Amino acid sequence: MASYLAQEPYTLIQASGGREALQLVSAEKPDLILLDVMMPRMTGYDVCRAVREVYSPSELPVLLVTAKNRIEDLVEGFGAGANDYLAKPVSRKESLARVNSQLELSRFHHAMEALVEERTSELAESNQRLRDSMRETAEAMAELSVMEERNRIAQEIHDMVGHTLTTTIVQIEAAKRLLSKNRELGMEKLDLSQELVRKGLNQIRESVRLLSESSLDYDLAGAMVKLMEETRQVTGIEIRHRISPAPPLSAMQKKVLFHALQEGLTNGIRHGESTQFDFVLEHREEELYFMLENNGRRYEETGMGFGLRAMSERVRQLGGSLSLTSPGSQGCILTLVLPAE
């Protein structure tokens, strides 16, 4: 076998046994290993298994040379991690063909790995440039187009509060019809109407606050704490929170974060029947991390409502991400990640 390969442009390193072979591989990784299955003290199978603990078949091909050509022997060889085998007696033509084939496959694999790594690096750089561009564009739009922002907030007042007041009218009409027949159910409808009106007023109040305050004097943390306290007083739910100091934020970022908390609390109480919330807002390196978790019904992916869809779109415009997940058998976690200097 050695005489066949010596005539080719290969550098041959020979070992007298399995342990010496492993020492040579450890000292310098070869391009290919030819292993005789029948060796003293340590079989070719054992050496192959030891090699596979360090190198995968694509990183270092192994050819087993064996006089055993039973199916069970071949299965054992491939199970040990061999790439191919040569059956004794070995012909020069076959041995060179199999060796060259494995070397070509190995070179192809390494070339593909290098190409994938290069393309991955280029893609990561392109994605980063795109994210930076999206963030700069979104913040420029938010800061330079005050009128557009006011129109957007006005539209929100119309959509959200209009929907709330429409629902309130329906509930009041139902209560009027029920009071003479079922006073208890009628009062329940009136209580619901009162809660809907309160919600609409809160939405108007916060939207007007965003209109009247600039990005510099709007205290996001204070507004969030006030919202949570008002929600606790009205509903009796428990809200634990941790708000860390944040870097300077644009008006759009503050608006998105505040409405995310507002929407998350509202949906958690109304749809999830939650009684407890945990809220975190903190600055992590170059990202702003928002997490609101509740103990209500388990979140099932059924699509987002109007509020969440609008919020998700604005988060995307700012170069961030929004996700809704369930931590287990119950509850829901709303997570936002926004880029922040």
Side-chain angles (χ1 to χ4, degrees):
M1 189 72 183
S3 63
Y4 296 158
L5 297 174
Q7 301 174 33
E8 301 298 321
Y10 302 138
T11 300
L12 303 181
I13 303 174
Q14 300 185 57
S16 58
R19 296 191 184 281
E20 183 184 354
L22 290 176
Q23 290 174 353
L24 291 172
V25 171
S26 177
E28 183 178 3
K29 174 181 169 293
D31 295 314
L32 181 141
I33 298 177
L34 280 166
L35 276 177
D36 196 330
V37 171
M38 302 303 293
M39 293 188 296
R41 291 183 296 279
M42 195 173 190
T43 69
Y45 299 141
D46 296 331
V47 176
C48 190
R49 291 189 185 95
V51 170
R52 287 293 169 255
E53 291 179 1
V54 181
Y55 298 107
S56 69
S58 59
E59 292 174 319
L60 179 52
V62 174
L63 268 69
L64 292 178
V65 181
T66 176
K68 299 180 177 183
N69 55 8
R70 297 180 306 168
I71 295 297
E72 308 91 85
D73 299 321
L74 301 181
V75 169
E76 183 175 1
F78 286 123
N83 295 69
D84 203 351
Y85 72 94
L86 285 166
K88 296 179 180 179
V90 179
S91 70
R92 181 177 185 278
K93 186 175 182 179
E94 181 185 5
S95 62
L96 292 179
R98 290 185 182 271
V99 167
N100 287 330
S101 174
Q102 290 301 322
L103 289 174
E104 284 294 328
L105 287 172
S106 180
R107 282 192 288 268
F108 176 75
H109 173 79
H110 292 153
M112 288 301 295
E113 279 191 334
L115 182 60
V116 169
E117 184 176 350
E118 180 184 352
R119 292 293 183 266
T120 301
S121 177
E122 292 175 356
L123 182 60
E125 292 177 2
S126 297
N127 285 339
Q128 185 59 49
R129 288 195 297 269
L130 180 60
R131 285 194 295 268
D132 292 343
S133 175
M134 290 175 62
R135 182 183 62 191
E136 291 169 3
T137 301
E139 294 202 2
M141 289 173 60
E143 298 294 342
L144 300 177
S145 184
V146 176
M147 183 58 68
E148 180 181 346
E149 177 63 11
R150 289 187 176 187
N151 289 339
R152 187 183 297 116
I153 294 176
Q155 185 63 43
E156 282 187 4
I157 294 174
H158 174 272
D159 291 340
M160 292 189 295
V161 180
H163 173 75
T164 301
L165 295 179
T166 300
T167 307
T168 303
I169 293 172
V170 173
Q171 295 296 329
I172 292 175
E173 288 297 327
K176 286 166 60 178
R177 292 193 297 269
L178 286 169
L179 280 174
S180 60
K181 300 176 182 179
N182 187 330
R183 180 175 177 78
E184 182 178 351
L185 186 56
M187 292 302 297
E188 182 180 327
K189 294 292 184 182
L190 287 175
D191 289 340
L192 178 58
S193 300
Q194 184 182 33
E195 182 59 32
L196 288 169
V197 171
R198 183 181 292 112
K199 176 192 172 185
L201 290 173
N202 286 336
Q203 289 173 337
I204 293 173
R205 186 180 298 116
E206 293 306 326
S207 296
V208 170
R209 181 183 301 174
L210 287 178
L211 281 170
S212 60
E213 296 182 350
S214 71
S215 61
L216 295 177
D217 57 21
Y218 177 57
D219 180 12
L220 175 64
M224 286 180 158
V225 171
K226 183 177 180 181
L227 173 64
M228 289 185 284
E229 179 60 23
E230 289 177 350
T231 303
R232 185 193 63 77
Q233 291 176 355
V234 171
T235 63
I237 63 171
E238 179 184 358
I239 307 177
R240 297 190 294 257
H241 67 271
R242 184 175 78 252
I243 302 177
S244 302
L249 301 175
S250 67
M252 173 70 86
Q253 288 175 316
K254 291 180 179 182
K255 177 176 178 296
V256 165
L257 291 168
F258 180 85
H259 281 304
L261 177 60
Q262 184 180 51
E263 192 73 19
L265 291 172
T266 300
N267 287 345
I269 296 170
R270 180 187 299 171
H271 304 300
E273 299 179 355
S274 308
T275 59
Q276 181 177 303
F277 290 84
D278 287 284
F279 173 58
V280 174
L281 180 64
E282 58 187 13
H283 186 218
R284 297 181 178 179
E285 296 181 353
E286 296 184 356
E287 292 182 334
L288 205 60
Y289 177 78
F290 171 111
M291 190 275 292
L292 180 65
E293 180 177 358
N294 66 52
N295 67 343
R297 292 203 300 266
R298 185 176 188 277
Y299 170 72
E300 301 292 343
E301 191 171 348
T302 56
M304 296 182 179
F306 170 81
L308 284 174
R309 284 200 307 274
M311 187 198 326
S312 179
E313 176 62 21
R314 286 180 184 153
V315 169
R316 187 190 64 78
Q317 291 174 358
L318 289 173
S321 63
L322 178 149
S323 65
L324 283 168
T325 58
S326 180
S329 59
Q330 67 173 17
C332 176
I333 300 177
L334 171 63
T335 305
L336 272 74
V337 178
L338 293 178
E341 297 298 335

